[in-house]
Amino acid sequence: MTSTIEHIEVAVFTTVAKTAVDAHGHRHPSPAHEVCEALLTITDTDGASGRVLVQPDHLRPTVLDKYIRPALLGQDPLDRERLWTSLARKQRGAHGGLTDRALGFVDLALWDLAGHRLGLPVWKLLGGARDAVPAYASTMCGDETPGGLATPADFAAFAVHLVERGYRAIKLHTWMPPVAGAPSVALDIAACTAVREAVGPGVELMLDANHWYSRTEALKLGRALQELDYYWFEEPMEEASISSYRWLAEQLDIPVIGPETSWGKNFTRAEWVTAGACDILRTGTTDVGGITAAVRTLHLAEAFNIDCEVHGNGSGNLSLLGATTNGRWYERGLLHPHFDFDEVPPHLNSIVDAIDDEGIVRLPQRPGLGDDFDLDYIKASTIN
Ligand SMILES: O=C(O)[C@H](O)[C@@H](O)[C@@H](O)C(=O)NO
Ligand SMILES: [Mg+2]
């Protein structure tokens, strides 16, 4: 008898965070404070469950009742392709109510459930292209915090620390509004110069800049990065303007990478590639609609002989890197001198992406995506 999906629940629970987002959604260190997180659990009639941390506002009760449950309840949880397509086709009629991010969360939970049912890590189900991946250090955005990331010298000092920690690549997020004086091409160039001078030529460096520079500002910044031998240039302009990225990529030698945030799943990524708007493609499980869609973008990039770098940390993106070698790095972050990324939050028993002295992350051996949830803590802290 085939097992079918029987329960789909989102538990909103309280936990402790030591970062917070600013008015523009960029994350910075903050004093410990209580926050609400949410855990999506999909359970089948055999009692197997798939779980993933989600952003509650993307999986509100109305989204679950109107789209997710009608499409999934009673279905075979292993039929991810069929279920993903069924949900993706509901997006048009949902008129923005069913986001790519929501699709991604559901897909991740189904992959986690499959891993638990089969007793295998998801990266093994994806083909086991590798069992370890080098991490790059992805910094938080610049700030105004003394000894934080307030000056080019702060970025340089933090970069030296990150290299001593074992990282062989570092991506800067420089100063962005609402930080005073941001955005500033000159300040970005000063920070990138200071970091290159501090770590020397042997470390790969990348810049993820203010997302709304003009073409001419992005060109000036890109040309400076070329002189500093940076490895890639990320999101300096509004990503909805594919033609701007095509123009920029044609003007620069440094690889332009994207898109990170564009809606449209693997379809938009195909347009960026065929438009010549990027030299390195970008994907991510929460950006494109889950692992099912992200694997499509990895294979698309491979067919054009271009790398496809995975956006973001976490078990889903780490598992995805087991499906490919044309994504060269795991984005570990966001990091900051005043934030301990390795500290285990109360709702976990351990983190999924520890690095060794060489900056390497071993893919998890636990079944499923590999998250080590403290389910007793989550149950005791659930508020809905
Ligand atoms: O919320 C965001 O914009 C992302 O977290 C971003 O800060 C960071 O993850 C990124 O851009 N990485 O490439
Ligand atoms: Mg980015």
Side-chain angles (χ1 to χ4, degrees):
M1 173 74 172
T2 302
S3 173
T4 58
I5 295 170
E6 190 174 30
H7 298 293
I8 301 172
E9 303 301 333
V10 172
V12 179
F13 64 93
T14 57
T15 187
V16 175
K18 294 184 177 179
T19 63
V21 295
D22 61 28
H24 287 236
H26 293 110
R27 195 162 287 282
H28 304 279
S30 80
H33 60 286
E34 185 176 90
V35 294
C36 283
E37 291 271 6
L39 184 70
L40 166 65
T41 303
I42 297 179
T43 304
D44 70 17
T45 45
D46 285 344
S49 290
R51 294 182 175 88
V52 64
L53 285 179
V54 303
Q55 292 158 298
D57 54 346
H58 282 271
L59 274 183
R60 297 184 306 277
T62 52
V63 174
L64 290 171
D65 292 338
K66 198 170 179 183
Y67 305 110
I68 310 299
R69 290 191 176 106
L72 266 63
L73 289 176
Q75 300 298 320
D76 183 340
L78 297 180
D79 289 355
R80 290 178 304 279
E81 283 288 338
R82 178 171 60 81
L83 296 175
W84 184 88
T85 300
S86 164
L87 273 178
R89 300 254 166 104
K90 291 184 185 301
Q91 287 184 297
R92 183 180 180 283
H95 302 300
L98 178 58
T99 62
D100 292 347
R101 199 155 280 228
L103 190 57
F105 291 138
V106 171
D107 185 67
L108 284 170
L110 290 175
W111 275 99
D112 189 54
L113 190 155
H116 282 282
R117 278 193 64 166
L118 300 170
L120 285 171
V122 166
W123 63 270
K124 275 281 192 188
L125 298 181
L126 289 168
R130 55 188 162 193
D131 61 4
V133 60
Y136 70 83
S138 190
T139 76
M140 288 186 191
C141 292
D143 52 36
E144 299 167 277
T145 307
L149 294 174
T151 66
D154 284 345
F155 271 102
F158 189 42
V160 169
H161 164 75
L162 293 168
V163 171
E164 289 167 353
R165 180 69 180 75
Y167 291 100
R168 296 292 173 266
I170 300 169
K171 182 166 82 179
L172 285 68
H173 290 94
T174 39
W175 298 272
M176 304 185 196
V179 170
S184 162
V185 170
L187 259 180
D188 290 351
I189 294 173
C192 292
T193 303
V195 168
R196 174 55 79 201
E197 289 174 353
V199 301
V203 177
E204 296 291 13
L205 298 175
M206 303 85 103
L207 174 65
D208 191 339
N210 165 55
H211 319 313
W212 293 284
Y213 279 132
S214 68
R215 291 189 182 192
T216 46
E217 288 172 319
L219 181 60
K220 180 177 181 180
L221 184 49
R223 284 174 172 162
L225 295 178
Q226 286 178 175
E227 293 303 311
L228 296 165
D229 192 27
Y230 270 55
Y231 177 53
W232 81 52
F233 188 22
E234 181 176 334
E235 202 180 349
M237 300 180 289
E238 166 60 62
E239 288 191 331
S241 179
I242 296 179
S243 60
S244 295
Y245 278 88
R246 176 190 176 121
W247 177 89
L248 185 67
E250 285 176 342
Q251 310 273 342
L252 291 175
D253 294 330
I254 182 173
V256 172
I257 183 173
E260 173 169 314
T261 59
S262 299
W263 296 110
K265 305 184 290 287
N266 47 304
F267 300 94
T268 313
R269 275 72 190 169
E271 294 306 315
W272 272 64
V273 170
T274 51
C278 60
D279 306 293
I280 302 174
L281 191 57
R282 194 140 175 72
T283 192
T285 56
T286 52
D287 300 316
V288 301
I291 286 175
T292 300
V295 168
R296 286 169 160 81
T297 55
L298 293 173
H299 294 167
L300 163 75
E302 186 185 50
F304 282 88
N305 286 308
I306 58 178
D307 288 348
C308 184
E309 295 297 339
V310 176
H311 165 228
N313 67 338
S315 61
N317 287 317
L318 184 56
S319 300
L320 182 61
L321 285 160
T324 181
T325 53
N326 69 326
R328 298 180 187 274
W329 301 94
Y330 171 68
E331 180 172 11
R332 196 166 193 265
L334 299 173
L335 309 176
H336 188 282
H338 298 169
F339 173 63
D340 179 2
F341 185 79
D342 292 275
E343 181 179 346
V344 182
H347 56 277
L348 296 178
N349 295 313
S350 63
I351 62 172
V352 72
D353 56 0
I355 58 165
D356 65 17
D357 294 343
E358 299 300 313
I360 303 295
V361 178
R362 304 244 152 254
L363 274 64
Q365 294 301 328
R366 303 165 57 84
L369 294 170
D371 287 305
D372 187 7
F373 294 117
D374 182 336
L375 295 177
D376 293 337
Y377 175 91
I378 291 172
K379 186 174 182 181
S381 311
T382 294
I383 58 175
N384 69 332

